[in-house]
Amino acid sequence: MLLTRLITAIRPAFLLRILAVTYAIVVATAAQAAAPTADELDSIFAARGIVYQQEDDGGSGGNPTIEEDATIYEGILLFQQRLNENNAASFKAVGDLVTAASYDDARDKAETVSGATGYNPGRFNLEGRWKYRSDSRTGFTLHTSYGQEYAYRSTGYGFGISQSLNEESTQLSADFQFYDDTVRMIRYDGSKETDEPRDTATGAFSLTQTLSPVSLMNLSWVYSRQRGMLATSFNSVLFDNGERDFEVLPDERVRNTVSVRYKHAIGEDSVQLGLSHYQDSWELDGQAFEARYFYRLNDGQLTLEPSYRFYTQTATEYFSEQFSAPQNYQTSDSDLGHFDGHSAGLVLSYRKAGWLTKEPSNYDIGFNMYRRSDDLNFYWLTLGWYTAL
Amino acid sequence: MNTKYLGCGILTLLVVSASACTPVRFNERERLSQPDMAFDSTPLKSEIEADVYSAREGASGVFTGGGGGGCGCY
């Protein structure tokens, strides 16, 4: 059943074509052989935490008919162990604690009909990954994941291939990811229906090219096809007469994103610029521009990273803040409406050996703020640490 | 404009262009080997940023590989 759903989700002929082209490119251009780059396989431990705060300007921001305030605490642990010269295995655990108005409202109402308990830890996700890198600099990865939250369960599988070329001046990679997810159909009014599937198949293709001894670029294309229950089960829309109905969205969404990033060293410092264009079958277009500056102090022991990001999107054709009558497809989810977003952040990183481990460790703290033109604003604080083992 | 074909076209063009580039030799890579010259060099940092953006924006896969799925995203 899973295999059938995956096959129908990803258009096998298209995937085979992409695989064939990728394989041909990788094999045809794999000319030189040299010692493998070991960095990706080194044993490391990394921990990262985030506190995320979302505010809807007293109820008027985002979708003005619902409360969208939210606070999320997330922690991630990553442990990677090198197995030998060519192999490594990693394990990652993610945990979230969530307080969100819409989420809590759905949960509270659903308790009366689904028997759910009042205690809910939010979300967790576990991932295992295996990496292989040959002496000829060909890489393979396999990974699997499982995640669960109150109204959602996810099982993921993926594999990837990569190749370094031209004395490592060129890196090509192709990653494929499949999610077999389940949506618990808990409605905004507390009613409950049979669980529905949501399948996602993604192909991500990336090229990183060194342009000079001080500059490089990265180009990526992400193709994604989703099928099944793509609406948020507990979202609703408001009609002019004051009544509400479920959010209804098409059961298929094809998404394409093309991004290009450029990095250039300026003495000890460096600058990174990025442009991205997104388009999907729901007629939602998005563009993003990003600039980061890496200000290195004390021979790179301390790094300051200010960043700015601009994002704009058109509304999907099914979006309206309010409807006069029921539609075949209808949503008032502000994330699918038109808005512009300005995001600015600052990350401070410090590298030192001897505090928690003998090996050099990297500690960082960052703060970002994001202001949307529809007055849904959010802020997040991150703390990170990683070390070689 | 269909970005699927645009993506294929740009990727093919750049792969062909890249294969024609003169490699930067190992002894010219001192600056490139510094951590700040790698895209997404800090483990989990880009991933957590992408999670935030993709949860509150209609787009996915912007600058990173995630294309959706795996999370109800509240």
Side-chain angles (χ1 to χ4, degrees), chain A residues 54 92 123 167 169 181 209 224 255-257 263 267-268 270 279 292 296 309 313 335 343 370 372, chain B residues 1 3 18 24-25 29 31 34 36 40 45 47 49 53 56-60 63 67 70 72 74:
Chain A
Q54 178 175 298
K92 186 172 71 177
R123 168 180 174 259
E167 299 182 35
S169 291
D181 297 352
Q209 176 64 47
S224 181
R255 319 171 82 172
N256 279 284
T257 312
K263 191 179 276 279
E268 285 297 303
S270 59
Q279 193 171 45
R292 295 174 186 269
R296 299 173 75 222
R309 185 178 186 273
Q313 72 175 41
D335 299 337
S343 172
Y370 191 121
R372 276 182 22 176
Chain B
M1 181 172 56
T3 50
V24 176
R25 309 304 300 244
R29 291 178 167 273
R31 185 64 185 92
Q34 299 296 318
D36 68 307
D40 312 321
K45 180 168 169 282
E47 181 179 327
E49 277 186 9
Y53 289 127
R56 288 283 77 90
E57 295 176 344
S60 65
F63 302 128
Y74 315 110

Side-chain angles (χ1 to χ4, degrees), chain A residues 50-53 70-74 96-100, chain B residues 56 74:
Chain A
I50 179 172
V51 181
Y52 169 93
Q53 177 72 36
T71 303
I72 300 173
Y73 303 90
E74 180 172 285
D96 286 12
L97 288 171
V98 181
T99 304
Chain B
R56 288 283 77 90
Y74 315 110

Side-chain angles (χ1 to χ4, degrees), chain A residues 30-99:
Chain A
Q32 301 89 356
T37 300
D39 296 347
E40 289 181 36
L41 303 181
D42 281 348
S43 297
I44 61 165
F45 177 77
R48 186 158 291 272
I50 179 172
V51 181
Y52 169 93
Q53 177 72 36
Q54 178 175 298
E55 296 174 357
D56 68 352
D57 199 27
S60 62
N63 180 345
T65 68
I66 60 170
E67 294 288 329
E68 293 180 271
D69 286 350
T71 303
I72 300 173
Y73 303 90
E74 180 172 285
I76 309 180
L77 298 176
L78 171 69
F79 173 70
Q80 176 169 295
Q81 178 67 49
R82 174 187 280 278
L83 302 175
N84 54 40
E85 191 175 338
N86 300 106
N87 292 275
S90 68
F91 175 76
K92 186 172 71 177
V94 183
D96 286 12
L97 288 171
V98 181
T99 304

Side-chain angles (χ1 to χ4, degrees), chain A residues 302-335:
Chain A
L302 188 67
T303 303
L304 276 173
E305 181 191 333
S307 64
Y308 169 76
R309 185 178 186 273
F310 172 72
Y311 174 79
T312 183
Q313 72 175 41
T314 60
T316 177
E317 59 182 312
Y318 315 117
F319 175 85
S320 180
E321 285 190 356
Q322 197 162 313
F323 293 86
S324 57
Q327 310 289 313
N328 289 335
Y329 300 116
Q330 52 192 15
T331 179
S332 296
D333 187 336
S334 63
D335 299 337

Side-chain angles (χ1 to χ4, degrees), chain A residues 50-197:
Chain A
I50 179 172
V51 181
Y52 169 93
Q53 177 72 36
Q54 178 175 298
E55 296 174 357
D56 68 352
D57 199 27
S60 62
N63 180 345
T65 68
I66 60 170
E67 294 288 329
E68 293 180 271
D69 286 350
T71 303
I72 300 173
Y73 303 90
E74 180 172 285
I76 309 180
L77 298 176
L78 171 69
F79 173 70
Q80 176 169 295
Q81 178 67 49
R82 174 187 280 278
L83 302 175
N84 54 40
E85 191 175 338
N86 300 106
N87 292 275
S90 68
F91 175 76
K92 186 172 71 177
V94 183
D96 286 12
L97 288 171
V98 181
T99 304
S102 59
Y103 180 82
D104 288 347
D105 188 47
R107 186 187 63 188
D108 292 343
K109 288 174 178 170
E111 281 182 36
T112 61
V113 293
S114 68
T117 66
Y119 172 73
N120 191 282
R123 168 180 174 259
F124 73 87
N125 193 79
L126 305 173
E127 180 190 287
R129 183 178 294 262
W130 168 73
K131 295 179 180 179
Y132 167 80
R133 193 173 179 94
S134 75
D135 294 343
S136 60
R137 293 174 295 176
T138 302
F140 296 100
T141 62
L142 282 175
H143 65 90
T144 184
S145 64
Y146 178 78
Q148 187 169 317
E149 56 201 80
Y150 178 65
Y152 204 83
R153 292 192 302 275
S154 173
T155 307
Y157 316 89
F159 65 95
I161 179 172
S162 62
Q163 180 70 55
S164 292
L165 308 164
N166 300 328
E167 299 182 35
E168 301 197 6
S169 291
T170 305
Q171 277 92 40
L172 290 168
S173 71
D175 288 288
F176 302 92
Q177 202 157 275
F178 310 96
Y179 286 110
D180 178 38
D181 297 352
T182 301
V183 181
R184 289 182 69 191
M185 296 298 291
I186 297 167
R187 297 302 197 174
Y188 72 94
D189 58 0
S191 62
K192 188 173 184 301
E193 301 164 19
T194 308
D195 294 352
E196 294 277 354

